[in-house]
Amino acid sequence: MRRPYPFHEIEPRWQQHWAAHETFRVANPGEPGFDASRPKFYVLDMFPYPSGAGLHVGHPEGYTATDITTRYKRMNGFNVLHPMGWDAFGLPAEQHAIKTGEHPRFNTQRNVDNFRRQLQALGFAYDWSREVNTTAPDYVRWTQWIFLQLYHSYFDETTKTARPIRELEERGLSREEIDAQRLAFVAEAPVNWSPSLGTVLANEEVDEWREKGETVERRPLKQWMLRITKFAERLLADLEPLDWPESIKISQRNWIGRSEGAQVRFALAEGEGSIEVFTTRPDTLFGATYMVLAPEHPLVERITTSAQREAVAAYRAACALKSDLDRTDLAKDKTGVATGAFAVNPVNGARIPVWIADYVLMGYGTGAIMAVPGHDERDLAFAEKFELPIVQVVQPAKEGVEWRGFVDDGTAIHSGFLDGLPTPEAKRRIIAWLEEKGVGQGRVTYKLRDWLFSRQRYWGEPFPIVWDQTTGRHEAIPESELPLLAPELDDYKPTGDPRGPLVKATDWIRYSETLQRETNTMPQWAGSCWYYLRYCDPRNEQRFVSAEAEKYWMGGRSEAPVRGGVDLYVGGTEHAVLHLLYARFWHKVLFDLGHVSTAEPFQRLVNQGLILGENGQKMSKSLGNVVNPDDVVRDYGADSLRLFEMFMGPLTDSKPWSTAGVQGVHRFLARVWRLVMDEQATEGTWEISPALQDVAPSPAVLKALHAAIKKVTADIEAMAFNTAISALMVASNELGRAEVRPLSAVRTLLVLLSPFAPHLTDELWDALARKFGGPTGLCCEQPWPKHDESLLVEDEVEIVVQIAGKMRDKLTVKKDLPAAEIEALVLALPKIAEALAGKAPKKVIVVPGRLVNVVP
RNA sequence: GCCGAGGUGGCGAAAUCGGAAGACGCGCCAGACUUAGGAUCUGGUUCCGCAAGGAGUAAGGGUUCAAGUCCCUUCCUCGGCACCA
């Protein structure tokens, strides 16, 4: 097969060379070869889940962008940490194990090997000696160790930091009091239990199995939770200074969902007790005409009257069967049942009915609301359906606006002492009143919930926890027993026990006479919460990362007002919230406990866009528009794939694949090849072109070259790789036009192209060195060139001449010609004289070096 | 519904500060070389028009000497969230 250039030979050769010479290995402080004089730069990719399907062309997009940045920074004299690894726990491997009976680690290993092969075929400058795998025992060990840090910590409300549990013990708190404060704690929480499958499902699996006809219900189980809610305020505040896309910051803010309002206590009309509600609109308290409890609210049992008992029980049972999705999706139509109980509105003594309805969520606020149907859309819909009273307590500012369902700020009305107050003022007044009367207080609530950290799965990190069968208490196992690995099983099929597949391993569970192991495992998020730290010191057997390595790679740099951490983190928007929030949470705990040196893990975040199929639709097997990188590498080479993915458009945009586009950049690379090489009579035999000579470049070539240096440098800094490539094309076209191609200019072009097309440029660099001698080392190890601004200045500039804003003529003048002289020259032009017809112009705008606009 | 991103040639896209719209690439057209070309090279290519010229950055309006860029209104596409009191 005839190829425009022999990429199929040179690419594997250079990949082997880089691997054999450990070209991209970077030393830690204290290790041989470490150069302390260089600044550090940490470039991180979101590591992949190694699926059986292999790499997708979407993966190399972000990876190529970080690779270019890595290589560019290296050439600029940085110590660059650029690692890769595997987020290898996950459901597909477990499902494979269930089907085949083979331990998931084998399937995982095969997939990892395939992913590594595919990534290495793309020539990425990873330091493979730092590869991590979240399922490896020496990694699991430290994930479990971090869990124990959480388990042995509490949140100190005065310092707002994580502190060791030991402090509580020293203060003499009881075991119960301590357990109630641990950052890792146990609570009853509903899981998606499928009786027909005999297994627990992840939220994202529920729909899929329902469609296949399986049943899924909510069932409360003892679950491990992480107290992320305590960190809500810090997670919110520390987001501010990060160099992240604004859209991601907004997503995180929304997820945390801070809202200010008041907690109000409504006494029950009959009997003892009261109902606490949270509201952001305490100013509408006079308009509360009924109350609603979440169906799961603990008070329901107690307050329901005997007449309503049956209806309430039936409603609660129906709600229990619904998944979260059903409750939100289908519930446009409000449902609910009266409990028969009544409460008293503290502001006006009104006796109002208490209902239960699933539009009130147990997990938010207090799980109970005061309903103000006049000024809340949901309450209004409910009140209309069940014919509950609706009263106005807010007057819209604008005339003629319907007050029913008016939810914006206005003026209080029919609200006693609040009447006439604007909403914000009314809120302040009523909160002061509630506090004074002791029936409520101002309060901040977050949408963020504590992190449900247990999974009833096999292929995840087991909890380093045992349960005392006599006391029912949990205990941490000693750190010396880590890693705690899951036992081998005969088969991985569901057991029908909602505690998960590990219950089958009876020997493993039995820890001692009285102690039994926890059978839950950690979620996939656990490993990805701290992998960026392990990369800093991946083979350390004493610590999860040494203090020195952590401080060096994650520490702040002096030249910028940075907060430290990873300098550049690139990945998809699908991790906008969960991964990035969980990792930030763990990082803060580790920071509080003194294990890491910065409060935030990722200083700068960039999201690459989606690569769509050639038809503009999302790539998917069912649409048959999936592009396999292996095929592209086979047909056009890795350099072409890399270059095309960067040339398609801006990194952060979604853009469609185009085979013709790959051919375009492939042709460009072939032209660069032929700038240097000449094909001989025998097909595929190449020698240095006779047109390439060691001569001084012409001024035109020099200028084109330095323009390219300037543009490519600025564009890589800005991650505008598409326009950087365009500049390289312009420069190479210019060079190709010359009869004689000067060696020095060609070499500079190769250096500029090297981060984008490393195989081609290392090959040509090497060929030139063999023929002409010159600089030693690989092309990718050359210093990055600097442009000479003096070569770019023009002594003459073209000025655009406009009449009334429309381009009419052009004029070439000396660069520094004063505005008055330019104006005189322009007014003397025949076209201008004609347009003015002897009259003086109304206005003349002169923008020196650019244009003159004459307004007649 | 809410939030976010975006709408520029036949296509992917360029366009520091408001100052020549369409760089670069694909595709297409013509030519050269050639036994051949789906290789390579040269030239052309926003639209209408033979031309002079005119129009043109989703649509409409506004600010300005000058608007793809700033402001207002509307429409469309994509992504995320979705009873959070």
Side-chain angles (χ1 to χ4, degrees):
Chain A
M1 180 179 165
R2 190 181 188 285
R3 292 182 177 83
Y5 77 96
F7 60 85
H8 62 297
E9 287 169 17
I10 66 179
E11 291 185 349
R13 187 159 74 237
W14 287 101
Q15 284 157 17
Q16 281 155 23
H17 179 101
W18 300 329
H21 294 81
E22 296 192 303
T23 306
F24 303 114
R25 181 162 189 165
V26 60
N28 269 3
E31 286 177 0
F34 177 74
D35 182 350
S37 68
R38 292 164 177 258
K40 73 95 185 181
F41 199 83
Y42 187 173
V43 187
L44 181 67
D45 290 304
M46 287 186 186
F47 67 165
Y49 172 73
S51 72
L55 215 62
H56 171 275
V57 286
H59 288 111
E61 189 192 13
Y63 300 163
T64 304
T66 53
D67 197 61
I68 291 166
T69 304
T70 295
R71 290 168 174 273
Y72 168 80
K73 285 285 179 189
R74 286 171 53 89
M75 293 166 90
N76 278 284
F78 285 76
N79 285 329
V80 182
L81 177 58
H82 186 44
M84 181 46 80
W86 319 107
D87 188 17
F89 279 123
L91 279 175
E94 182 157 344
Q95 273 152 358
H96 184 263
I98 290 169
K99 231 182 287 168
T100 63
E102 181 190 58
H103 191 286
R105 76 167 162 264
F106 297 107
N107 183 45
T108 300
Q109 194 53 50
R110 283 193 295 273
N111 291 346
V112 162
D113 290 342
N114 187 43
F115 260 67
R116 191 191 304 102
R117 174 191 66 76
Q118 288 188 298
L119 289 178
Q120 287 178 343
L122 294 177
F124 294 134
Y126 292 120
D127 178 353
W128 284 105
S129 74
R130 292 173 184 262
E131 177 180 346
V132 303
N133 181 329
T134 55
T135 66
D138 71 339
Y139 189 95
V140 167
R141 172 182 177 187
W142 297 109
T143 306
Q144 290 169 330
W145 179 84
I146 296 173
F147 174 82
L148 289 181
Q149 302 307 303
L150 288 147
Y151 179 80
H152 291 307
S153 302
Y154 75 102
F155 187 79
D156 183 335
E157 297 288 353
T158 55
T159 59
K160 305 286 181 201
T161 56
R163 305 288 310 159
I165 280 289
R166 196 177 354 99
E167 295 180 358
L168 297 182
E169 290 165 357
E170 284 161 7
R171 250 182 263 164
L173 265 67
S174 73
R175 174 64 200 260
E176 281 68 29
E177 288 168 324
I178 287 171
D179 282 352
Q181 291 199 48
R182 290 180 194 276
L183 293 184
F185 64 103
V186 175
E188 289 265 328
V191 297
N192 301 302
W193 167 248
S194 171
S196 56
L197 289 168
T199 183
V200 170
L201 299 175
N203 280 327
E204 56 271 24
E205 294 177 295
V206 171
D207 272 354
E208 190 189 327
W209 287 106
R210 280 261 174 85
E211 277 166 28
K212 292 179 184 166
E214 308 292 344
T215 54
V216 181
E217 63 182 44
R218 306 281 279 173
R219 178 190 276 211
L221 264 189
K222 266 195 184 167
Q223 305 278 312
W224 285 95
M225 313 279 288
L226 299 185
R227 225 178 276 284
I228 189 173
T229 49
K230 291 288 181 191
F231 292 79
E233 202 59 57
R234 282 168 66 193
L235 288 168
L236 207 52
D238 291 354
L239 204 51
E240 232 37 65
L242 297 180
D243 187 8
W244 287 20
E246 198 50 37
S247 61
I248 300 288
K249 289 190 184 182
I250 289 170
S251 296
Q252 294 224 342
R253 282 190 207 113
N254 289 345
W255 191 261
I256 294 167
R258 183 183 198 274
S259 52
E260 279 182 34
Q263 186 156 329
V264 185
R265 186 156 59 251
F266 285 65
L268 289 169
E270 287 87 23
E272 294 292 296
S274 59
I275 299 170
E276 298 272 354
V277 303
F278 172 75
T279 176
T280 55
R281 292 299 300 271
D283 60 298
T284 62
L285 191 47
F286 285 87
T289 55
Y290 64 101
M291 303 188 78
V292 186
L293 304 183
E296 307 87 347
H297 198 286
L299 228 48
V300 174
E301 200 72 34
R302 238 190 66 208
I303 65 172
T304 302
T305 60
S306 49
Q308 289 302 101
R309 200 155 290 272
E310 208 171 309
V312 165
Y315 185 76
R316 294 179 89 184
C319 289
L321 286 175
K322 289 187 192 176
S323 71
D324 275 353
L325 266 136
D326 293 331
R327 277 181 68 160
T328 53
D329 245 31
L330 310 174
K332 297 298 164 209
D333 190 33
K334 297 275 180 288
T335 59
V337 182
T339 61
F342 286 82
V344 178
N345 188 331
V347 281
N348 55 12
R351 196 179 132 90
I352 58 178
V354 179
W355 287 62
I356 61 169
D358 66 358
Y359 83 92
V360 173
L361 310 171
M362 192 57 223
Y364 184 75
T366 61
I369 62 155
M370 63 175 206
V372 184
H375 305 288
D376 182 283
E377 283 176 43
R378 300 152 299 182
D379 297 344
L380 181 61
F382 192 84
E384 280 172 343
K385 176 158 177 189
F386 294 102
E387 298 179 339
L388 292 156
I390 302 162
V391 301
Q392 181 188 14
V393 289
V394 181
Q395 180 62 43
K398 256 198 252 165
E399 285 291 317
V401 174
E402 170 65 44
W403 66 265
R404 272 166 182 264
F406 178 80
V407 298
D408 298 326
D409 283 8
T411 308
I413 185 173
H414 309 141
S415 293
F417 59 92
L418 299 177
D419 281 355
L421 294 177
T423 300
E425 177 58 27
K427 285 181 180 172
R428 278 192 289 276
R429 188 71 66 85
I430 188 74
I431 289 171
W433 185 91
L434 290 166
E435 288 175 353
E436 188 191 313
K437 300 283 173 193
V439 288
Q441 65 282 127
R443 186 182 152 183
V444 175
T445 302
Y446 302 91
K447 227 164 86 178
L448 183 70
R449 321 264 180 97
D450 279 329
W451 178 8
L452 177 75
F453 197 66
S454 317
R455 299 292 183 272
Q456 294 72 37
R457 289 284 163 192
Y458 177 80
W459 194 224
E461 302 88 345
F463 282 79
I465 294 287
V466 288
W467 290 86
D468 188 318
Q469 297 306 291
T470 51
T471 63
R473 282 181 182 159
H474 45 73
E475 266 175 47
I477 64 172
E479 281 179 22
S480 58
E481 291 180 22
L482 302 183
L484 169 63
L485 302 179
E488 306 268 333
L489 296 182
D490 295 334
D491 75 85
Y492 299 87
K493 290 195 187 70
T495 53
D497 185 319
R499 288 174 298 168
L502 287 178
V503 293
K504 282 201 275 193
T506 44
D507 290 349
W508 181 83
I509 290 175
R510 188 190 149 88
Y511 184 80
S512 74
E513 201 59 38
T514 54
L515 298 173
Q516 286 214 349
R517 291 193 192 279
E518 169 64 63
T519 59
N520 280 330
T521 54
M522 299 187 200
Q524 197 180 351
W525 304 111
S528 60
C529 268
W530 72 284
Y531 74 113
Y532 58 93
L533 292 170
R534 189 61 179 170
Y535 282 142
C536 297
D537 195 11
R539 306 291 166 249
N540 194 324
E541 292 180 5
Q542 312 306 319
R543 258 177 76 80
F544 74 115
V545 56
S546 76
E548 195 184 17
E550 189 280 330
K551 208 168 172 201
Y552 181 71
W553 293 116
M554 294 296 290
R557 286 171 296 137
S558 53
E559 81 265 26
V562 289
R563 300 160 55 86
V566 172
D567 297 281
L568 176 65
Y569 192 20
V570 175
T573 48
E574 65 272 22
H575 296 117
V577 177
L578 297 182
H579 158 62
L580 289 168
L581 198 67
Y582 293 154
R584 292 180 62 215
F585 162 50
W586 278 34
H587 199 85
K588 284 186 187 308
V589 173
L590 292 170
F591 174 67
D592 289 350
L593 299 177
H595 297 307
V596 298
S597 57
T598 63
E600 282 288 330
F602 315 119
Q603 181 58 37
R604 179 166 184 220
L605 176 72
V606 171
N607 293 122
Q608 86 268 21
L610 226 57
I611 292 187
L612 307 169
E614 204 136 9
N615 55 2
Q617 287 172 297
K618 213 169 182 160
M619 276 195 197
S620 79
K621 262 182 260 167
S622 58
L623 286 166
N625 60 355
V626 176
V627 178
N628 183 340
D630 285 341
D631 296 341
V632 181
V633 169
R634 184 195 61 221
D635 295 342
Y636 303 101
D639 284 337
S640 295
L641 175 65
R642 295 168 56 111
L643 203 65
F644 177 63
E645 295 222 3
M646 294 300 99
F647 187 62
M648 292 167 83
L651 179 64
T652 53
D653 284 8
S654 288
K655 50 232 169 239
W657 185 261
S658 157
T659 301
V662 185
Q663 287 163 355
V665 294
H666 186 60
R667 278 202 286 268
F668 162 66
L669 292 177
R671 277 200 299 278
V672 173
W673 175 264
R674 291 195 309 271
L675 281 180
V676 179
M677 305 301 272
D678 209 24
E679 192 164 25
Q680 304 301 295
T682 325
E683 197 175 273
T685 306
W686 297 86
E687 275 181 21
I688 302 278
S689 166
L692 197 148
Q693 294 167 23
D694 194 356
V695 296
S698 69
V701 163
L702 215 51
K703 192 174 161 186
L705 200 64
H706 280 254
I709 296 172
K710 184 179 182 178
K711 177 92 177 126
V712 172
T713 305
D715 284 353
I716 292 179
E717 292 280 355
M719 299 189 84
F721 303 115
N722 54 332
T723 49
I725 293 165
S726 144
L728 288 166
M729 288 171 168
V730 171
S732 106
N733 288 345
E734 179 67 32
L735 219 52
R737 266 190 287 276
E739 291 283 313
V740 173
R741 303 194 273 274
L743 174 65
S744 65
V746 169
R747 276 185 163 148
T748 303
L749 182 74
L750 292 179
V751 173
L752 291 177
L753 181 60
S754 170
F756 299 85
H759 309 88
L760 173 74
T761 48
D762 270 357
E763 174 72 17
L764 292 177
W765 186 266
D766 183 57
L768 290 177
R770 282 167 201 277
K771 167 126 186 201
F772 295 99
T776 55
L778 305 178
C779 188
C780 65
E781 293 172 326
Q782 301 307 309
W784 192 254
K786 293 204 172 7
H787 79 277
D788 180 350
E789 191 67 36
S790 68
L791 291 171
L792 299 179
V793 293
E794 311 262 1
D795 37 317
E796 288 196 320
V797 285
E798 202 170 43
I799 302 258
V800 170
V801 179
Q802 295 183 331
I803 298 175
K806 288 202 179 291
M807 217 268 285
R808 281 300 122 104
D809 208 346
K810 287 185 220 169
L811 187 66
T812 304
V813 300
K814 281 229 165 10
K815 185 176 160 275
D816 299 318
L817 201 66
E821 288 181 43
I822 298 174
E823 184 174 337
L825 282 172
V826 166
L827 292 178
L829 290 169
K831 282 194 186 175
I832 301 298
E834 192 187 319
L836 289 174
K839 288 184 226 127
K842 209 198 272 171
K843 203 168 189 177
V844 181
I845 285 101
V846 181
V847 184
R850 280 212 167 263
L851 64 66
V852 176
N853 188 7
V854 179
V855 187

